[in-house]
Amino acid sequence: MQLRLPRLRWETFVPPFYWACTYLLRGALWLVVRWEVRGREHVPMEGGLIVVSNHLNNADPPIVGAGVAKRRIRWMAKVELFRYPFGVIPRLWGAFPVRRFEADLGAMLTAERILRQGGVLGMFPEGTRSRTGYLGKPHPGTALIALRTGAPVLPCAVTGTEKLRNPLVLLRRPRFTVTIGEPIRVEAVKRPTEEQVSALTARIYEAIRALLPPQYAGPYTGSEGTAPGETDGPDHPRE
């Protein structure tokens, strides 16, 4: 009789890998940069939750995760990051792929399953990193998922990480800040209308914008998201 060992799955390694990386990163941030987290008391300790933030650098997901700290975040990340061999890292970290700027039904269903199981979903409503540092035009996917599941939305704002475009800046111990706002409560809607999605999208945008210093707040007004040139953006904000 042949003994069959249980097949190991990615999910087996995700929690220990995620928490090890998160706490190692928190220690590194304390040593290498001037790191501050504000509003951590606003993080709900149970139930489905969508964490949203502005997006300045590829390092933002783990840095926001280290700021939230209390709960493990499953980030929705662009599919290009999952190519082997380096794609092993986001998989072990618990992220899942999405095809950006198109209707990715698989990613949508994965996100909704995470929330209905009481997990935490991480999203950047802008859909991509800001090239100017300003908060850009949000996409409706976050609001649609929130309305379909009734999960509250936790607005966050990260500042300072745009300086990581030049790694030598770490020699000057730049200031990184993660600010966490109060959750936006959402009532579940079986079939959200375009008006409901648009209204919640604008509300999420304004909640993130309210947490940002003025030099990071973009000019988006709800219909068009045009960003100023890079020369007058907050790539080098005053500290």
Side-chain angles (χ1 to χ4, degrees):
M1 179 177 179
Q2 185 178 5
L3 179 63
R4 290 188 177 183
L5 297 176
R7 185 179 178 182
L8 295 177
R9 301 170 60 91
W10 284 108
E11 291 79 5
T12 305
F13 303 98
V14 167
F17 184 85
Y18 179 93
W19 289 117
C21 290
T22 296
Y23 283 99
L24 284 172
L25 176 60
R26 290 184 68 186
L29 288 170
W30 284 116
L31 291 173
V32 178
V33 302
R34 290 172 289 167
W35 186 52
E36 182 181 4
V37 180
R38 304 168 182 166
R40 191 176 286 149
E41 67 276 7
H42 294 144
V43 180
M45 292 305 297
E46 59 183 18
L49 180 69
I50 304 176
V51 173
V52 296
S53 175
N54 62 315
H55 195 12
L56 301 172
N57 189 275
N58 283 334
D60 290 341
I63 288 176
V64 172
V68 170
K70 296 180 178 181
R71 301 188 65 184
R72 179 165 66 92
I73 303 175
R74 298 284 307 276
W75 288 94
M76 182 183 287
K78 61 183 181 181
V79 68
E80 293 83 357
L81 293 177
F82 292 83
R83 294 171 180 164
Y84 287 97
F86 300 107
V88 171
I89 295 175
R91 292 177 190 277
L92 281 174
W93 195 54
F96 63 97
V98 60
R99 297 190 301 274
R100 297 180 298 167
F101 315 126
E102 59 179 279
D104 190 337
L105 181 59
M108 178 79 72
L109 293 175
T110 298
E112 292 184 6
R113 183 175 68 251
I114 290 169
L115 295 169
R116 292 196 169 102
Q117 292 175 348
V120 182
L121 174 69
M123 300 184 70
F124 295 108
E126 297 165 89
T128 187
R129 285 172 294 147
S130 171
R131 300 297 180 183
T132 63
Y134 287 144
L135 179 62
K137 178 181 179 180
H139 293 270
T142 304
L144 179 60
I145 293 172
L147 286 166
R148 283 174 55 88
T149 61
V153 178
L154 186 71
C156 300
V158 59
T159 60
T161 58
E162 75 282 357
K163 300 172 186 176
L164 284 174
R165 294 169 189 171
N166 178 10
L168 294 178
V169 77
L170 294 176
L171 298 175
R172 301 197 298 269
R173 296 194 74 224
R175 184 184 303 277
F176 292 176
T177 303
V178 176
T179 306
I180 304 169
E182 295 185 5
I184 300 171
R185 302 297 174 182
V186 180
E187 184 176 348
V189 179
K190 187 174 182 180
R191 294 182 179 176
T193 65
E194 184 177 344
E195 291 76 12
Q196 289 172 319
V197 173
S198 179
L200 183 56
T201 298
R203 189 178 174 192
I204 291 170
Y205 171 87
E206 291 299 334
I208 298 173
R209 184 175 181 176
L211 299 173
L212 287 166
Q215 65 266 33
Y216 284 87
Y220 171 67
T221 59
S223 58
E224 296 182 357
T226 55
E230 292 191 16
T231 56
D232 56 356
D235 286 49
H236 303 285
R238 298 176 182 175
E239 295 184 356

